[in-house]
């Protein structure tokens, strides 16, 4: 297993296709947090996120076993695109639009710089967090989606563009608009945040 951990994604995919079952386990361990987090922030439900995560990996395994994987070593963006499509399929079946942000689990505050020492500061921060979550809910879905993928899944704009099937410039533009809209709404609501 240690030898497998040192292999690249592409090497692991090739090993799995050749019959090394543990290779898919290594890939799953390597990326499960990013993939699950992305799904969870889109569906806002732990159990549904787990189901879609499992469905995603069943599809990944079936695609690999059928020999239909050919994304030239870009395993994570490929899986993220599958997960994204599974979420969209779920919402189409439910006939309702996805709401990308989770009120309880979404934590943009890790990327914002706050100090929180005193009880008073913690109370102010807590209220600020609630206010910011409400404001994030007001962003258009495409902007929320890019924000999550970039800040919480640590994905490159190229990967985001691939997954959302837009150009890199469009993905960059959506992020710019998201941050600009957040700043504007924060100013309108007289909230004090530091957005990067």
């Amino acid at each position: 297993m240690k030898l497998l951990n040192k292999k690249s994604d592409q090497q692991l995919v090739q090993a799995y296709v050749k019959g090394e079952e543990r290779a898919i386990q290594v890939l799953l361990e390597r990326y499960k947090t990013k993939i699950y987090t992305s799904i969870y922030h889109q569906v806002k439900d732990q159990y549904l996120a787990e189901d879609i995560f499992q469905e995603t990996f069943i599809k990944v395994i079936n695609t690999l076993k059928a020999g239909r994987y050919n994304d030239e070593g870009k395993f994570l963006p490929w899986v993220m695109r599958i997960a994204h499509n599974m979420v969209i399929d779920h919402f189409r079946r439910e006939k309702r639009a996805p709401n990308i942000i989770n009120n309880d689990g979404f934590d943009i505050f890790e990327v914002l710089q706050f100090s929180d020492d005193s009880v008073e500061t913690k109370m102010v921060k807590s209220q600020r967090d609630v206010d910011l979550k409400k404001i994030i809910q007001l962003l258009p879905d495409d902007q929320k989606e890019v924000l999550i993928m970039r800040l919480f899944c640590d994905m490159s704009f190229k990967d985001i563009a691939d997954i959302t099937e837009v150009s890199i410039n469009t993905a960059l533009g959506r992020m710019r608009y998201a941050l600009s809209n957040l700043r504007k709404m924060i100013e309108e609501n007289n909230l004090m945040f530091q957005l990067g």
Side-chain angles (χ1 to χ4, degrees), residues 49-63:
E50 289 170 5
D51 287 348
I52 292 174
F53 178 81
Q54 288 175 2
E55 289 173 23
T56 298
F57 264 88
I58 288 169
K59 186 162 188 170
V60 165
I61 287 167
N62 290 339
T63 304

Side-chain angles (χ1 to χ4, degrees), residues 32-49:
K32 69 180 180 183
T33 302
K34 284 184 178 184
I35 296 164
Y36 175 81
T37 300
S38 173
I39 295 168
Y40 181 72
H41 286 308
Q42 293 177 67
V43 299
K44 299 176 67 173
D45 179 285
Q46 176 185 347
Y47 300 109
L48 178 58

Side-chain angles (χ1 to χ4, degrees), residues 142-194:
D142 57 351
Q143 292 175 23
K144 285 189 275 190
E145 183 178 48
V146 171
L147 190 79
I148 290 168
M149 289 181 179
R150 181 70 180 146
L151 299 180
F152 301 98
C153 299
D154 197 30
M155 296 179 68
S156 71
F157 283 106
K158 182 177 182 342
D159 291 345
I160 293 168
D162 289 345
I163 290 167
T164 57
E165 297 177 345
V166 298
S167 70
I168 292 175
N169 285 339
T170 300
L172 286 165
R174 287 177 180 175
M175 185 65 170
R176 254 192 319 274
Y177 283 124
L179 292 174
S180 172
N181 286 335
L182 280 177
R183 282 190 185 99
K184 194 184 308 176
M185 288 186 283
I186 287 167
E187 287 170 13
E188 287 169 4
N189 289 284
N190 294 320
L191 301 173
M192 295 175 64
F193 301 102
Q194 290 180 333

